Amino acid sequence: MTRRTGNSAGGAGAQPLTTHDGAPVVVRRSARRRRTVAAFWEDGKAVVAIPAHFTKAQEGEWVRRMLDKLKRQGEKQAGGGGNGRRTGDVALANHAANLSAKYLGGRAVPTSVRWVSNQKSRWGSATPADGTIRLSDKLQGMPSWVVDYVLLHELAHLLVAGHNAAFWRHLDAYPETERAKAFLEGVAFATSRGLDRELSGAGDENGVGAPAEGWGTDAD
């Protein structure tokens, strides 16, 4: 697999390619990809994964399409306001504060909330001792109500360390708790059996995906 950062229309002196709100863009060509294109956030960069056989013209067209799709997805997750980029740690921390105020009476006050890429078996984690919360970047691209559940789950851990009855009472007010738990269980089941590779055509990235021949019916 090759990785390239920059403008596909490039040439000497070409400006680096960025998203609508200025984040850097990385284009990854993969020989394992045959018909699918994917876009996702990774360490503050927008990554667009394309088949290795794409021409420069196809690359430029699909990068544009997928960046537009990432932008629309971010706006939807943010409720249609702001710059729509909830992938940023600042935006995530602000959203956590809003969720804490709405569902936990503002009692959960994290010192930091950030996306991480090194959590392979957990969707999120919290350290009550120092008030830090980390969310797996594998959540990016999942429905906003799923991300909100995981964020609330970790906020609740700042109030109650374990998973006892008192902990779950903190999540009673959130109407999507059971639905989100079922969704994540389904994702874990599919991943453990390799079904996610069959559905995505990749298996090494998580995020917005689409077949190269058309948008299909990928969920958001």
Side-chain angles (χ1 to χ4, degrees):
M1 178 174 67
T2 60
R3 178 181 304 187
R4 188 180 60 74
T5 304
N7 193 328
S8 59
Q15 292 297 316
L17 185 62
T18 61
T19 64
H20 299 81
D21 54 353
V25 174
V26 174
V27 178
R28 291 181 184 169
R29 287 177 172 263
S30 173
R32 288 185 294 174
R33 287 185 175 274
R34 292 290 185 266
R35 302 173 56 193
T36 60
V37 178
F40 51 95
W41 291 99
E42 181 180 273
D43 298 329
K45 301 180 181 67
V47 178
V48 180
I50 62 174
H53 63 78
F54 268 17
T55 66
K56 289 294 185 181
Q58 288 175 311
E59 175 184 326
E61 174 65 14
W62 278 96
V63 167
R64 181 188 64 78
R65 290 190 185 187
M66 298 308 279
L67 292 181
D68 285 344
K69 192 169 180 69
L70 276 180
K71 180 175 182 290
R72 291 195 301 271
Q73 180 196 56
E75 289 170 347
K76 182 176 180 180
Q77 289 181 332
N83 63 14
R85 196 175 162 213
R86 258 178 61 184
T87 52
D89 293 344
V90 173
L92 190 65
N94 289 338
H95 191 63
N98 291 335
L99 289 174
S100 177
K102 184 174 182 178
Y103 296 106
L104 301 174
R107 289 170 294 164
V109 183
T111 57
S112 73
V113 186
R114 59 192 178 93
W115 294 104
V116 296
S117 58
N118 60 353
Q119 291 191 159
K120 305 302 182 184
S121 61
R122 292 183 293 180
W123 300 114
S125 60
T127 305
D130 61 12
T132 58
I133 290 175
R134 298 153 297 280
L135 294 193
S136 170
D137 60 4
K138 292 180 174 59
L139 290 165
Q140 294 173 2
M142 292 189 186
S144 59
W145 46 269
V146 175
V147 180
D148 285 357
Y149 161 73
V150 176
L151 189 48
L152 272 170
H153 187 109
E154 302 311 329
L155 285 166
H157 274 311
L158 298 184
L159 304 177
V160 179
H163 290 103
N164 55 23
F167 169 84
W168 289 111
R169 280 197 294 272
H170 285 304
L171 296 178
D172 284 345
Y174 183 59
E176 303 291 353
T177 291
E178 295 305 318
R179 184 184 177 204
K181 287 167 62 177
F183 181 97
L184 292 172
E185 287 171 2
V187 172
F189 178 88
T191 301
S192 69
R193 285 156 178 77
L195 299 178
D196 59 326
R197 298 185 181 213
E198 296 177 19
L199 293 173
S200 69
D204 58 339
E205 294 102 4
N206 295 268
V208 181
E213 287 77 11
W215 292 113
T217 57
D218 53 317
D220 58 3

